[in-house]
Every structure is written in structure tokens, then in C-alpha cells.
């Protein structure tokens, strides 16, 4: 029986008589100082209040036991975690840091926590669509984050499509359709309450036929401790593999940074069920708990690919450990510090 997909009607395919640009097999965006300062300025007062406490100590001219106590408190407030904070403070005490070197020692420690996972996200053009599967709990900003990443891919000249696999929540589908209209990207939808795996199977098959470069799949927000919902996610993965055994190529967990280390239980649960290739941290513009990103990288060996710093389509920033550490310790991006650039 022929499959008749439901595709967003409001978006008509472009007719372009100009030759399409040649796209490299792997494309990574450039980042400049202006973009760094731009996202830094979007960080909210909660984050800046925490970083100012750290900055006050590490830029101090005199290192005392009291100063180190203040630094310990500031990192705990950032949700770096007790174990990592203890490790940092003990290292500083044992090294008997000389005046003026405290900042560099803190930076070196923080950078070492990202050593194994600090690499960027790369879109790839293959013979079959590169599939990027998004999942996370309700309210993490998953659907908006997907749209932001879709915009990044489109700017790199890649063809793409979106599958709306949250068939039980009409608002989620409507939100994606609106994003599709704004970005001029096709959104594949199913009927109301249709099995999400069925929608994914048909949307994936259509993307293969159309030789789409990138296929982004939005799934329903689900509590990580609800087994039936997690099993549904596993079924979606199995369905994808019927059309491409090597897919999905990225399984991205979207986490709300405002809940700090409470994200760890989500990460553990999703990883145990379907595996995670990377993390996107949202709402960093309103979070005071940026230190939790360090635990995700070091404790779980999980790459953090992007951070969200606002609601606009360009407010999804490629994560870079050095830039993040700059922000966390309250260091201005314009400062001439070779260890940070």
C-alpha cells in the first residue's frame, strides 16, 4: 500500500534556477570574539551573580584561607558539586599558590574537566539523511532548541526536514509548524494520536526518497522515570534503524540548566535506555548553576554541544569549554589572557 505522508502545507518547495552551492562533507561554524561577547552579555543576573563571587576571589591580590573559603562557597553556589569543589580547593591548598597565579590554577583545573569531551558538533552530508533525534523531559526547551539547530544547518546550505513525532500534544505540532514556516523548512506530521514510531518511519522514508541531508526528529517530552514513555522512545530508535541501521546518528538530550545537578538523574536514565551522543543545555541565560555543566562533562564523559542563552533563533551557541570558563569565572572576553584563547 502506498504511503501518503502529511507534509506541512504552508511551506511550498523553493524553485531555484541557480546552481546549489557545493557543501563540504563536514561543516563546522566559525566563532569570533564579537559573537563570544554577544552571548556573554545575554547571561542573566543569576549567572553573573555567581560568577562575580568567583571573580572576586581569583582576581584578589592576597590569597588567604578565608579567600579560599569564599571561593569554595562560590563554586558550590554554581552547582559545581561537592566532590569537584573539594578537589579544586584541596589542589589549590596543596600547591601553595603564589600571588597572582590563582586565576590560572583555577582555569587549568576547570579546563582539565572538559579534556575528554570538548569537541564540536558537525553536520554531515551522507548518502542517507543524517538523523538527529531530540528528547528530554517536559519544559526543557526541546522543540525550540530543535528549531534553532535547524536554522544552523540551513545556514550551512544543507537541505533538511523535521518530523513532529509528538502526536499526542497538538500544541507541540503547531509550534513546529510555525517554526517550519518561519525557517522555510518542511515539517512532516502524522494524524492526531498516531503512533509516533509510525510517523517517524514514514517521515524518514520520505526524507530518503527526497535525498534530504539532515532530518531532525522531535519527540514528546517525557519523564525519565516513566518506563512506558522511555520504552516508546526505544521503539522510535528501532523504527529509524529499519530504514538505516546506522541511524540515528545523533541522540541529543536537551537539559534545563536552571535545575543544576538534578539534570544528572535525567542523563543517567536516558543514557541507560537508549544511549546519549551529546547534550544541549538550555536556559543558561537565567541559570545560576552553570557549574553543573562541568559534572556532565567529567563525570559522565558526555559532550556538551550547544548552550541556549535566549529565545531568539540565533541564541543557540556552540559550546566551547574555554569560553564557558571565561564566563563562569567572570573573566571579560576582551582581556589579553593567552591561557583563555
Amino acid at each position: 500500500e502506498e504511503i501518503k505522508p502529511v507534509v506541512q502545507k504552508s511551506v511550498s518547495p523553493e524553485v531555484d534556477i541557480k546552481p546549489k552551492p557545493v557543501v563540504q562533507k563536514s561543516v563546522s561554524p566559525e566563532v569570533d570574539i564579537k559573537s563570544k561577547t554577544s552571548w556573554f552579555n545575554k547571561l542573566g543576573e543569576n549567572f553573573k551573580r555567581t560568577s562575580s563571587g568567583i571573580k572576586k576571589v581569583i582576581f584578589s591580590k592576597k590569597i588567604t584561607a578565608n579567600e579560599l573559603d569564599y571561593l569554595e562557597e562560590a563554586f558550590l553556589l554554581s552547582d559545581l558539586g561537592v566532590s569537584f569543589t573539594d578537589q579544586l580547593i584541596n589542589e589549590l591548598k596543596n600547591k601553595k599558590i603564589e600571588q597572582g597565579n590563582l586565576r590560572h590554577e583555577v582555569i587549568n583545573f576547570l579546563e582539565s574537566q572538559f579534556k575528554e569531551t570538548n569537541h564540536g558538533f558537525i553536520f554531515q552530508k551522507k548518502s542517507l539523511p543524517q538523523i538527529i533525534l531530540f528528547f528530554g523531559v517536559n519544559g526543557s526547551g526541546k522543540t525550540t532548541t530543535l528549531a534553532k539547530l535547524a536554522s544552523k544547518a540551513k545556514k550551512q546550505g544543507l537541505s533538511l526536514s523535521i518530523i513532529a513525532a509528538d502526536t499526542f500534544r497538538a500544541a507541540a505540532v503547531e509550534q513546529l509548524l510555525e517554526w517550519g514556516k518561519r525557517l522555510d523548512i518542511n515539517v512532516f506530521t502524522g494524524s492526531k494520536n498516531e503512533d509516533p514510531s509510525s510517523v517517524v518511519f514514514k517521515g524518514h522514508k520520505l526524507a530518503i526518497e527526497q535525498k534530504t541531508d539532515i532530518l531532525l526528529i522531535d519527540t514528546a517530552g517525557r519523564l525519565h522515570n516513566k518506563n512506558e514513555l522511555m520504552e516508546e522512545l526505544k521503539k522510535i530508535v528501532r523504527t529509524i534503524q529499519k530504514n538505516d541501521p546506522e541511524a540515528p546518528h545523533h541522540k541529543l538530550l536537551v537539559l534545563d540548566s536552571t535545575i543544576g545537578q538534578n539534570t544528572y538523574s535525567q542523563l543517567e536514565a536516558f543514557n541507560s535506555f537508549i544511549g546519549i551522543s551529546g547534550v544541549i543545555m538550555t536556559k543558561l541565560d537565567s541559570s545560576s548553576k552553570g557549574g553543573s555543566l562541568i559534572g556532565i562533562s567529567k563525570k559522565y564523559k558526555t559532550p556538551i554541544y550547544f548552550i541556549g542563552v535566549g529565545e531568539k533563533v540565533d541564541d543557540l551557541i556552540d559550546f566551547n569549554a574555554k569560553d564557558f570558563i571565561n564566563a563562569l569565572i567572570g573573566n571579560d572576553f576582551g582581556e589579553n589572557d593567552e591561557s583563555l584563547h
Side-chain angles (χ1 to χ4, degrees), residues 37-65:
T37 55
S38 176
W39 78 258
F40 179 80
N41 290 334
K42 290 177 182 177
L43 294 174
E45 290 305 313
N46 289 333
F47 190 102
K48 290 178 180 178
R49 193 178 300 115
T50 301
S51 66
S52 67
I54 298 171
K55 181 178 182 178
K56 184 178 179 180
V57 178
I58 66 174
F59 280 81
S60 62
K61 295 180 179 180
K62 192 174 182 180
I63 303 169
T64 65

Side-chain angles (χ1 to χ4, degrees), residues 137-146 148 254-256 282-283:
V137 302
N138 297 300
S140 62
K142 175 175 49 59
T143 301
T144 302
T145 298
L146 180 151
K148 292 176 181 178
V254 181
L255 295 172
D256 179 349
T282 64
K283 308 179 186 180

Side-chain angles (χ1 to χ4, degrees), residues 66-86:
N66 284 340
E67 292 293 319
L68 291 179
D69 286 342
Y70 289 139
L71 185 62
E72 180 178 15
E73 182 181 353
F75 272 116
L76 287 173
L77 288 173
S78 78
D79 232 9
L80 177 62
V82 174
S83 62
F84 286 122
T85 302
D86 285 347

Side-chain angles (χ1 to χ4, degrees), residues 132-312:
I132 305 171
L133 180 67
F134 289 77
F135 47 88
V137 302
N138 297 300
S140 62
K142 175 175 49 59
T143 301
T144 302
T145 298
L146 180 151
K148 292 176 181 178
L149 191 61
S151 176
K152 281 181 174 288
K154 182 154 189 179
K155 287 178 181 177
Q156 294 183 28
L158 298 163
S159 64
L160 62 155
S161 183
I162 298 170
I163 296 178
D166 185 356
T167 58
F168 298 98
R169 196 166 66 92
V173 177
E174 291 171 3
Q175 185 182 7
L176 269 182
L177 288 172
E178 180 58 33
W179 273 113
K181 186 176 181 180
R182 286 172 58 182
L183 299 173
D184 197 16
I185 296 172
N186 281 348
V187 177
F188 187 96
T189 66
S191 57
K192 186 178 180 181
N193 296 334
E194 183 178 351
D195 183 348
S197 296
S198 171
V199 178
V200 169
F201 180 82
K202 291 183 285 187
H204 186 191
K205 198 169 182 63
L206 180 64
I208 292 173
E209 292 171 359
Q210 295 179 339
K211 300 187 182 302
T212 302
D213 295 327
I214 309 293
L215 180 62
L216 303 101
I217 302 175
D218 185 37
T219 61
R222 63 198 71 231
L223 294 174
H224 55 289
N225 55 0
K226 297 292 185 182
N227 282 356
E228 66 275 13
L229 294 176
M230 297 296 275
E231 288 294 339
E232 179 184 271
L233 192 57
K234 288 174 72 174
K235 184 180 177 182
I236 288 175
V237 172
R238 292 195 302 270
T239 300
I240 292 170
Q241 292 171 344
K242 290 179 180 178
N243 289 325
D244 181 358
E246 296 182 2
H249 305 95
H250 281 287
K251 291 180 281 188
L252 300 183
L253 174 61
V254 181
L255 295 172
D256 179 349
S257 66
T258 63
I259 65 174
Q261 290 188 72
N262 288 328
T263 57
Y264 294 175
S265 60
Q266 296 177 24
L267 193 152
E268 290 171 1
F270 280 102
N271 192 49
S272 67
F273 265 87
I274 65 166
I276 294 171
S277 63
V279 164
I280 299 177
M281 299 295 293
T282 64
K283 308 179 186 180
L284 204 65
D285 52 314
S286 57
S287 174
S288 63
K289 300 179 178 181
S292 62
L293 276 71
I294 295 171
I296 287 174
S297 176
K298 181 66 175 179
K299 184 176 181 180
Y300 298 104
K301 315 296 185 196
T302 303
I304 301 168
Y305 286 126
F306 301 97
I307 52 175
V309 292
E311 295 298 321
K312 295 180 180 177

